[in-house]
Amino acid sequence: MESDPPRGREASQKRSPLDLIMNQIRKKTTFTERKKPSMGRLFRPSVNSDKNEDISETKETDSSEGKDSTGPGTESSDTDSEISSGVGWGRVKQFVQKLGKTPDSQSLSLAHCDLTATDAVELGTLLPYLAQLEVMDLSWNDLLGGSLKALTCHFQHTGKLKILKLSSCRITAHDLTALGEALDCAPLLEMLDLSWNAGVGGGNLHGLTKHLHSASSLKELHLVDCQLSETDAMALGEALQMLSCLEVLDLSNNKQMMKGLENVATSLNSTPQLKTLKLSMCGLSHDSFAILGEKLKFVPGLENLDLSCNKESSGGFSTLTTGLSFLTCLKCLDMHSCCLTEDDILALTQVVPSWGELTELDLSSNRNVGGVIQSLLPVLPLSKMKKLYLNNCGLSTETCQALATSMQSLTQLESLNLSWNKSVGEILQQFLEPLQPNCELQELRLSSCDLTTEDMLYLESACKLGCLSKLKILDLAYNGSVGDGGWVSLFGEAERLKELQELDISLRPSSSLSASPWLPALLDALPQLPSLRRLALQRWALGPTERETLEKILSKKKVILECD
């Protein structure tokens, strides 16, 4: 009879790592092991005497250390090592498969697996058998916090590791120190993600950054929502001076860190290869923009800049424009939800001509700029634009007309979001007429645009001409003014939308209408939509038989139905 497992963290700490590993082998209550007789596990010959598995692991380590020996018996030692490696890989497979994952010698993806401290100990002992490992993702395992040292102390076996993800693991100050001490064992590490770990902040970041050195090959550093403080900003500023290869820096949602923004910004001169800088929801103010504006000249190769959700910066964009003019390689600018003013847009208009490579612009949820956005259109590199997000901007009729006129120049446009702009419904025809057959448009969002039945007829016409043949996402939600005939006409052209993956025609939460008049047209259309994966019909009333018929068709196509 097997003995009872130790109770509580204190009992576990009194046992050696070897005891914990043996306990794991004996006591893991996975579904697979529950089906095996206890005595069979211990004595079945086909598993190479699992009761001595840990002894084999020790022998393999000793053998690998003496691999370079040229004395008698070397050939025998190599043979033992090969046998032990086979047993070791078997343990890796068993560990990964019991978590519902597929074993891969180069990629270990164990996110959302409810890993515990005991699992960290066992995983650490398996690293010697993962010498080819390049990717390790342990994200969203919040019981790992405080136990990383049991894993990192074996990092000398993972010299090829390039990507390490530990987001949302409740990392502690001790974990950061252990991770920092192990960095020398991962000289090829290119990406480190510690996002959503509050323990990384609060002055603890220094435990990691003090171990960085100028030979670091780190290219991506993600520290989203880590509660970084001013002290952490200073530590990060010092670390950036060692990260000359850095290409991606994501500090989003760290409002307290902005008190030390100057330390970070000043060190940008040490990261000339930086291509992506994300400072979303960081509480950037006018002063922050001024500091950042002075330092952006150090990263002329920047391609992606995210300053979104910084409402405190409203009206201060002009202090940033000096630095932005140096970003001649900029491809993506995200400033949604920044409470931009008309003066901010006018300042943006002055610097946009410097961005000849711009392909993505997000100004959504800035409701006070709808009357002046048309001033941007003449200076944008329209022929290169791929994504344009102007939803919830309070676009005026004049701005919509100017944008509709510009559609003929937006030949590479893949994504257009005009949702929550009531003026769009008045002139949708003008937006659609310039579209050419087989145009690149893949995403079209027109939610809550006061669309009418007539607008659906224009959409039907665009489908007939093949102008929406590449469309993957079509959002027409919250347009209750569309009559039944409008939906019937749109569904009648389903055969022209073979790449469509998502369709949303939901009604507003306060609305409810019968779907019976147009449901037969939808049912006829579904077989002609081979790529459809999501259909949203919220607030449309379906009878029991209608719903059963619809669900039967969608279940065969594996389509997700969102319906009340």
Side-chain angles (χ1 to χ4, degrees):
M1 183 179 295
E2 296 176 347
S3 60
D4 293 334
R7 297 181 180 178
R9 184 177 297 273
E10 182 179 352
S12 297
Q13 291 174 344
K14 293 180 180 179
R15 303 171 69 100
S16 69
L18 183 59
D19 290 333
L20 288 173
I21 298 161
M22 291 297 292
N23 185 57
Q24 281 287 89
I25 296 171
R26 293 193 299 266
K27 295 297 295 177
K28 277 290 184 180
T29 56
T30 63
F31 176 75
T32 303
E33 288 181 335
R34 288 195 194 105
K35 296 194 298 182
K36 294 181 180 180
S38 176
M39 296 302 290
R41 279 203 312 262
L42 292 174
F43 296 103
R44 187 175 300 168
S46 62
V47 293
N48 296 323
S49 300
D50 283 347
K51 65 178 180 178
N52 293 322
E53 197 167 78
D54 288 89
I55 299 176
S56 298
E57 177 196 335
T58 305
K59 287 182 178 179
E60 181 197 15
T61 303
D62 294 340
S63 175
S64 62
E65 289 176 354
K67 207 175 249 187
D68 295 333
S69 172
T70 57
T74 299
E75 183 178 349
S76 175
S77 297
D78 289 342
T79 302
D80 291 343
S81 179
E82 290 176 6
I83 295 173
S84 297
S85 295
V87 174
W89 176 242
R91 289 181 55 204
V92 173
K93 291 175 63 177
Q94 183 182 30
F95 180 82
V96 174
Q97 288 173 343
K98 77 184 178 185
L99 296 170
K101 301 292 184 176
T102 302
D104 187 330
S105 62
Q106 293 183 315
S107 179
L108 185 65
S109 180
L110 300 179
H112 298 280
C113 283
D114 294 324
L115 298 179
T116 65
T118 304
D119 293 320
V121 173
E122 182 174 2
L123 180 56
T125 65
L126 298 178
L127 291 185
Y129 312 116
L130 290 167
Q132 303 302 315
L133 193 65
E134 295 183 1
V135 179
M136 184 187 298
D137 185 359
L138 305 180
S139 301
W140 305 99
N141 288 291
D142 56 9
L143 296 180
L144 281 181
S147 62
L148 276 192
K149 189 168 185 177
L151 183 65
T152 59
C153 66
H154 296 278
F155 266 25
Q156 69 270 22
H157 302 290
T158 58
K160 295 185 178 181
L161 190 65
K162 293 182 179 180
I163 297 176
L164 179 59
K165 298 181 180 180
L166 295 168
S167 58
S168 192
C169 287
R170 293 192 181 181
I171 287 177
T172 66
H174 294 299
D175 291 329
L176 280 178
T177 300
L179 181 58
E181 293 172 347
L183 287 179
D184 285 338
C185 298
L188 303 181
L189 190 67
E190 295 181 355
M191 176 185 176
L192 179 60
D193 189 349
L194 302 176
S195 300
W196 295 292
N197 284 293
V200 171
N204 296 329
L205 187 61
H206 180 64
L208 171 71
T209 58
K210 67 182 180 181
H211 294 284
L212 293 171
H213 49 75
S214 57
S216 173
S217 58
L218 200 64
K219 293 183 178 180
E220 295 189 29
L221 180 59
H222 300 265
L223 298 172
V224 180
D225 195 11
C226 286
Q227 297 188 20
L228 301 182
S229 64
E230 183 176 0
T231 302
D232 296 314
M234 294 176 62
L236 180 59
E238 295 175 357
L240 289 178
Q241 298 176 28
M242 305 290 180
L243 302 178
S244 59
C245 297
L246 196 67
E247 297 180 1
V248 178
L249 179 60
D250 191 350
L251 303 176
S252 299
N253 203 11
N254 284 291
K255 290 189 176 183
Q256 296 302 316
M257 186 200 68
M258 286 305 102
K259 296 178 181 178
L261 175 64
E262 189 165 3
N263 293 285
V264 176
T266 300
S267 296
L268 291 179
N269 61 354
S270 299
T271 59
Q273 299 186 44
L274 194 67
K275 289 181 171 58
T276 298
L277 178 60
K278 295 187 177 183
L279 297 172
S280 175
M281 207 179 299
C282 282
L284 298 178
S285 62
H286 290 202
D287 292 339
S288 303
F289 268 16
I291 293 172
L292 194 59
E294 292 179 3
K295 308 302 180 183
L296 285 177
K297 61 184 178 183
F298 296 131
V299 285
L302 198 68
E303 297 179 358
N304 302 286
L305 180 59
D306 184 355
L307 302 174
S308 62
C309 302
N310 285 293
K311 297 181 179 181
E312 299 86 347
S313 64
S314 176
F317 190 80
S318 59
T319 61
L320 187 63
T321 54
T322 301
L324 290 175
S325 62
F326 290 96
L327 306 183
T328 56
C329 297
L330 194 66
K331 294 182 178 180
C332 175
L333 176 64
D334 188 349
M335 295 197 69
H336 78 267
S337 299
C338 281
C339 291
L340 296 178
T341 65
E342 292 187 355
D343 288 339
D344 289 327
I345 295 299
L346 294 176
L348 182 60
T349 302
Q350 300 300 314
V351 72
V352 165
S354 304
W355 304 336
E357 302 300 318
L358 192 68
T359 60
E360 300 180 23
L361 179 62
D362 189 348
L363 299 178
S364 59
S365 298
N366 288 291
R367 304 188 64 181
N368 297 321
V369 301
V372 294
I373 283 182
Q374 70 265 31
S375 63
L376 271 177
L377 299 176
V379 294
L380 284 173
L382 297 178
S383 62
K384 295 184 178 181
M385 296 296 297
K386 293 184 177 181
K387 297 182 180 180
L388 184 59
Y389 302 122
L390 299 174
N391 46 297
N392 196 25
C393 280
L395 299 182
S396 64
T397 301
E398 294 75 13
T399 298
C400 284
Q401 290 174 339
L403 182 58
T405 303
S406 301
M407 289 297 294
Q408 59 187 353
S409 300
L410 292 166
T411 54
Q412 300 299 314
L413 194 65
E414 297 177 357
S415 180
L416 177 63
N417 192 339
L418 299 175
S419 296
W420 301 92
N421 288 294
K422 306 303 182 183
S423 298
V424 173
E426 302 173 8
I427 57 171
L428 183 61
Q429 180 185 11
Q430 297 179 39
F431 280 99
L432 298 175
E433 284 183 343
L435 297 179
Q436 299 297 313
N438 297 313
C439 75
E440 299 297 325
L441 195 61
Q442 299 177 20
E443 178 181 11
L444 179 60
R445 296 187 181 273
L446 300 170
S447 174
S448 191
C449 283
D450 278 356
L451 300 184
T452 64
T453 302
E454 189 175 4
D455 291 322
M456 292 299 106
L457 297 179
Y458 295 136
L459 274 174
E460 175 194 17
S461 178
C463 289
K464 280 184 179 180
L465 295 174
C467 300
L468 302 178
S469 60
K470 296 184 179 180
L471 201 63
K472 296 181 178 180
I473 299 175
L474 180 58
D475 183 359
L476 301 173
Y478 296 2
N479 285 293
S481 299
V482 176
D484 297 329
W487 298 121
V488 171
S489 65
L490 178 63
F491 298 145
E493 293 300 322
E495 63 179 354
R496 314 280 186 177
L497 299 171
K498 294 190 180 298
E499 294 191 26
L500 191 66
Q501 298 176 4
E502 297 184 20
L503 175 62
D504 191 343
I505 60 171
S506 299
L507 296 173
R508 295 179 182 277
S510 58
S511 304
S512 180
L513 294 172
S514 173
S516 298
W518 51 259
L519 186 62
L522 175 61
L523 296 178
D524 291 339
L526 289 176
Q528 303 177 64
L529 298 172
S531 302
L532 191 66
R533 293 295 175 263
R534 173 180 171 266
L535 175 63
L537 304 175
Q538 300 284 10
R539 267 79 64 185
W540 285 103
L542 297 171
T545 303
E546 293 173 330
R547 187 182 185 96
E548 182 179 355
T549 303
L550 178 61
E551 289 180 342
K552 184 177 181 180
I553 295 176
L554 295 181
S555 63
K556 291 181 179 179
K557 294 171 60 66
K558 297 182 179 180
V559 177
I560 297 174
L561 174 64
E562 297 178 9
C563 184
D564 296 332

